[in-house]
Amino acid sequence: MPHKYASLKMRQIRRNPNQPRETFNEDALQELTDSIKEHGLLQPIVVRKVEGGGYELVAGERRVRANELAGNITIEAKILLPEGDAEISDAESFKKAMAENLNRENMLPLEEARGFKKVQADEGGATPAEVAKILSKSVPYVTQRLALLALRPEIQAAVDLGHIGTQAAVQIAALSKDNQKAVFEDWKKGDKSDNQLVHIAYAMRKQEKAAKQDSMVDVKEMSPEEKAQHARAQAKARNDLDEIERMCELLDGIGKADPMELARTLEGQVGKRLEQMERVAAFVQKARFQLRQAKAHADASEIMVNPNAAAPDLVAEADAVLAQLEAKADGAEPEMQAPADADAETERVALAV
């Protein structure tokens, strides 16, 4: 897009009402102010000319704020020029502001999500892939951010405050609103890591889907034959794990052996036995992962059984933000916006953790 550079008076610049970034770190803003005082503005802001005179800010909200704090009355600007008779539209201005914030400054996850959603609307219902191309981001990145819009307001606040990671938040966003509340209330007890939250939310989603398909049958509803089969499987699993516990004594003995004496004892079989141990380690890793998933399913079942369980509130900041949101919205919840197809990505994320 054609442009020119000029030094503008601060009073000539209008703030962008559609600024995608809403939160600015005060310490970082002060650091930029100090830098401007010392070295001047190293990167010009981006503006467009508007009707009635003056210029509207396209990119550089943080720089404008810091420049004001530095007491400057002028600022260096890159002025976007229309191509031919076409004016620079609000949608085009917003896209440039989004790209600037995504690539230069740390936006909050939900700020990004709302920005992506607006670009979708401005582009007539663009797909996540089209938004990703416009803003030079990966498709999974855009899809996951958009998924966050399905979160309850209190969880969105916790994500923006950095209390819940985005990977865990994406898993939670796939749940029903009631189960989102249940997992959030359980998380507020303070005994779950972000990694555990990923696994639990993923397990809850699997259980939700299974329940819809009527494939999860309670033991009480089983036939006598099914109960007997369940009891045999239960006994075998427990016996297998007990046998592994006994093997720990053997492994402990090898772990305490003197390496030189062990080499003499094995008489040339060290390499073969090391390969054997590496195979055992691989099986242990797989079994450990399955047990971690089983633990997540057990925790998820417990949470889903008691969706309204009271829990001590350890996130005062999140609740304060929620109170503000509820006051503005008068208790209304945002409409759930599910990602186009998050199941494959959900599976990949859960297995990668």
Side-chain angles (χ1 to χ4, degrees), residues 331-351:
E333 289 184 0
E335 183 180 353
M336 186 169 183
Q337 175 66 40
D341 184 7
D343 287 345
E345 180 66 13
T346 297
E347 182 79 21
R348 184 194 68 75
V349 171
L351 293 176

Side-chain angles (χ1 to χ4, degrees), residues 66-268:
N67 200 61
E68 283 181 337
L69 291 173
N72 296 330
I73 61 173
T74 62
I75 191 169
E76 295 302 312
K78 175 182 177 180
I79 304 172
L80 301 180
L81 303 175
E83 298 187 53
D85 295 330
E87 294 293 332
I88 300 171
S89 67
D90 291 344
E92 188 67 26
S93 175
F94 182 82
K95 284 188 290 185
K96 289 186 177 298
M98 270 294 294
E100 170 82 7
N101 280 284
L102 286 170
N103 294 321
R104 290 188 177 277
E105 301 169 353
N106 293 325
M107 294 179 70
L108 298 177
L110 268 300
E111 287 179 341
E112 292 183 350
R114 289 187 287 271
F116 292 151
K117 188 68 176 175
K118 187 175 187 308
V119 172
Q120 278 189 311
D122 290 343
E123 293 296 310
T127 65
E130 290 168 337
V131 173
K133 184 176 181 181
I134 290 170
L135 298 173
S136 301
K137 304 298 289 185
S138 70
V139 176
Y141 186 93
V142 173
T143 300
Q144 289 190 4
R145 285 298 189 270
L146 288 171
L148 299 180
L149 296 174
L151 290 168
R152 295 173 64 94
E154 64 268 37
I155 305 177
Q156 290 188 11
V159 173
D160 271 349
L161 289 166
H163 297 314
I164 295 178
T166 54
Q167 288 294 354
V170 168
Q171 302 293 338
I172 297 170
L175 300 172
S176 68
K177 288 297 175 63
D178 287 343
N179 278 328
Q180 285 187 27
K181 179 180 179 181
V183 74
F184 184 66
E185 291 299 317
D186 184 74
W187 169 80
K188 288 198 294 182
K189 296 175 183 177
D191 59 354
K192 299 290 190 304
S193 68
D194 215 56
N195 187 45
Q196 289 174 310
L197 198 57
V198 169
H199 285 282
I200 290 171
Y202 175 71
M204 290 179 74
R205 177 58 176 161
K206 296 272 283 188
Q207 291 183 25
E208 279 187 347
K209 294 178 70 175
K212 288 180 180 179
Q213 298 167 1
D214 295 324
S215 61
M216 291 187 70
V217 181
D218 193 273
V219 176
K220 295 179 181 178
E221 301 173 355
M222 291 181 178
S223 67
E225 293 79 8
E226 290 172 330
K227 287 183 179 180
Q229 184 179 3
H230 176 76
R232 287 193 295 271
Q234 188 179 59
K236 182 181 184 304
R238 290 174 177 175
N239 288 337
D240 288 347
L241 290 170
D242 289 341
E243 194 67 28
I244 291 172
E245 186 66 28
R246 287 189 286 272
M247 288 175 59
C248 289
E249 297 179 10
L250 302 176
L251 294 172
D252 186 52
I254 295 173
K256 292 177 179 178
D258 179 82
M260 189 177 296
E261 184 60 32
L262 195 58
R264 292 195 193 100
T265 303
L266 292 175
E267 295 182 350

Side-chain angles (χ1 to χ4, degrees), residues 41-59:
L41 186 66
L42 302 180
Q43 179 71 30
I45 61 172
V46 181
V47 299
R48 62 167 176 162
K49 199 164 186 178
V50 291
E51 292 183 7
Y55 301 85
E56 183 180 87
L57 186 64
V58 173

